[in-house]
Each structure stands twice: as structure tokens, then as C-alpha cells.
Amino acid sequence: MTRLVLLSGWGCDARIWQPLTDRWPDGIEVSAPDWPGYGTRPALAKPACLEALAEAMAPALPADAVWVGWSLGGLLAASLLEKAPTAPRGLLLLGAGPRFCHPEGISREALADFRRAFARAPSAALAHFRRWQLDGEPAPREAHRRLQALLGDGPAPDRATLAAGLGWLAELDATATLAAPPCPVYRLAGERDPLLAPAAVTDADRILEHAGHCPMLSRPDDLAAALTTLARRCAAGAGRAPEADPTRQESPI
């Protein structure tokens, strides 16, 4: 049995993973815990404290699982590797890298502008971001309808937690950790991800064709297949660095 822990990104709770529910093959066990401050989970008293986050998430991040972090969830998962008592069997980064800001992707200036917009009107900024991240999908309007159907009736994320998340996007840098990771690490990216620099997409171990930042909405079958393949590779080679993948820029199927 290969265990996966799915971790969502900024502004979306664990329901974002629901389109994958019926697409996992036999032998895959999946959990999707919410971060504190998302869904029905209470926010942390100090939502910007990584140590408090690591303590709160420890029961949901077992060492015998492969962690899958999407967007900010990937950056946080990479940052929590240093704080985990035992490394997981692997880490899969979806639409994420060691840093969020990049001169050819989302610049520090653009993120600073968005943080100011969020401070003025949090709900409007969140709605804008949810649409913005869908720009690279084959059918953005349809993807947005799916997102709204998943998240629209649920509790809104805690505002202080959202603000802390934007701070993490601006500040966290997992470059050193990912340069010498304690477990196998693989990166996946949609070929038209609007939040990633082109070089970050090209350098991914799996590129999901005809997808953007939210392949769970636009390409759930391909995403589940790619995650399964890489998770099983992690589980088989835990403790070893990833081997070169000759199919890294091809379809994950």
C-alpha cells in the first residue's frame, strides 16, 4: 500500500482534491487534511509561525506516506521537511518550487501589489486569485465553475491565515532543503501554469500537457496517474535521490 497525503494551496481547502477521488488505482491510500484555518479546522493563534504549523500538522503528515504539496502547499511541505522528526517516503511538488517569486514568473513587485489588494479587500482579492490561477486551463470558465461547485458553499478560509500564507509566498525559500533533500523529491507542472516561470515548467520531472496551475480540475485522470507513478517510485526508493527521468517532458500516461 502506498499512502499519499494531499496538501492544498493558498485560498483553497482540501475539497480541491475531490475530483481525484474515484481515479486512484488499487494500492493507493489517500488522505487530504486541511491546513489550520481552512475548511472547518480552527486557525492557529499565530498563523505565521512555522513551528506551530509543524506541530499542528504532525499527526496528518506521517513518515510512511508520500506528501503531495500543491502550490503554497508544496512550498510549506518542503519547508516542513526540516522540522519533521522523520522524513516522509517522498515529496511531490505540484505547481511549486523552492521559491514562489521569480523574475520570469510572479515577481516580488506583483506579489507585493496583491498583498496590498488583499489587505484592502480580502474577499475580492481571494475571488480574483481563484480566477487568475485558472488562466492556463483549457477551459478556464468551466474550471472556475468546477471550483465554485467545490468551494462555493463551504466556510471561507481564515483571513489571518490567508495573510500569513501570502507572507510565506513572499519569504519562504526551500532551495537549500531541496538541494539535499532527506527523501526523494519530484516536481510536476502544468505546461501552461500561469504562476510558474517557463524555466520552472521545463525543469519539472513531469509536465502535464493541456493543463495550467489546477490540473485537478482540468486533467484529473492524468494528474492521478502521474501522482501514482511518482509516489510508487518514491515509496520504492525512499532515502535515495531521484533518478533521471527520460520521459520528464512527455505525457504522464
Side-chain angles (χ1 to χ4, degrees):
M1 180 69 66
T2 300
R3 299 180 65 186
L4 298 182
V5 179
L6 308 180
L7 301 165
S8 55
W10 190 85
C12 295
D13 61 51
R15 290 172 295 170
I16 191 70
W17 299 105
Q18 287 182 6
L20 305 185
T21 299
D22 298 326
R23 293 173 165 84
W24 301 109
D26 292 340
I28 297 293
E29 179 182 303
V30 176
S31 62
D34 270 319
W35 297 103
Y38 283 88
T40 59
R41 190 165 183 182
L44 297 174
K46 297 181 178 180
C49 177
L50 274 181
E51 286 72 19
L53 183 68
E55 182 178 355
M57 291 298 292
L61 295 173
D64 65 346
V66 175
W67 302 355
V68 181
W70 169 58
S71 196
L72 174 60
L75 186 55
L76 285 173
S79 300
L80 294 181
L81 284 177
E82 297 179 343
K83 303 181 183 303
T86 306
R89 302 187 76 177
L91 173 62
L92 306 183
L93 301 175
L94 173 61
R99 298 179 304 278
F100 178 70
C101 292
H102 191 285
E104 298 177 0
I106 305 301
S107 68
R108 291 188 176 276
E109 293 77 14
L111 179 57
D113 287 344
F114 184 78
R115 294 179 73 181
R116 285 190 287 269
F118 179 82
R120 291 193 301 268
S123 297
L126 175 59
H128 171 75
F129 178 83
R130 285 178 174 174
R131 286 185 177 275
W132 178 30
Q133 68 180 350
L134 298 171
D135 284 349
E137 308 307 332
R141 291 184 179 179
E142 176 60 27
H144 186 257
R145 283 193 290 269
R146 293 174 185 170
L147 184 64
Q148 287 291 90
L150 289 171
L151 305 182
D153 294 332
D158 173 69
R159 290 187 179 183
T161 299
L162 289 173
L166 292 177
W168 281 328
L169 289 175
E171 298 163 9
L172 288 182
D173 188 339
T175 300
T177 298
L178 296 179
C183 64
V185 176
Y186 293 95
R187 291 182 51 238
L188 301 86
E191 67 172 344
R192 299 186 293 190
D193 191 324
L195 303 187
L196 291 181
V201 175
T202 302
D203 290 343
D205 299 288
R206 278 288 193 273
I207 298 176
L208 301 171
E209 299 177 349
H210 311 298
H213 194 65
C214 301
M216 64 284 287
L217 300 176
S218 61
R219 301 296 300 275
D221 289 304
D222 287 353
L223 178 58
L227 292 175
T228 296
T229 297
L230 294 179
R232 285 174 170 165
R233 188 174 300 174
C234 286
R240 299 201 304 268
E243 298 176 358
D245 183 358
T247 64
R248 58 185 287 180
Q249 296 187 37
E250 298 177 2
S251 169
I253 305 304

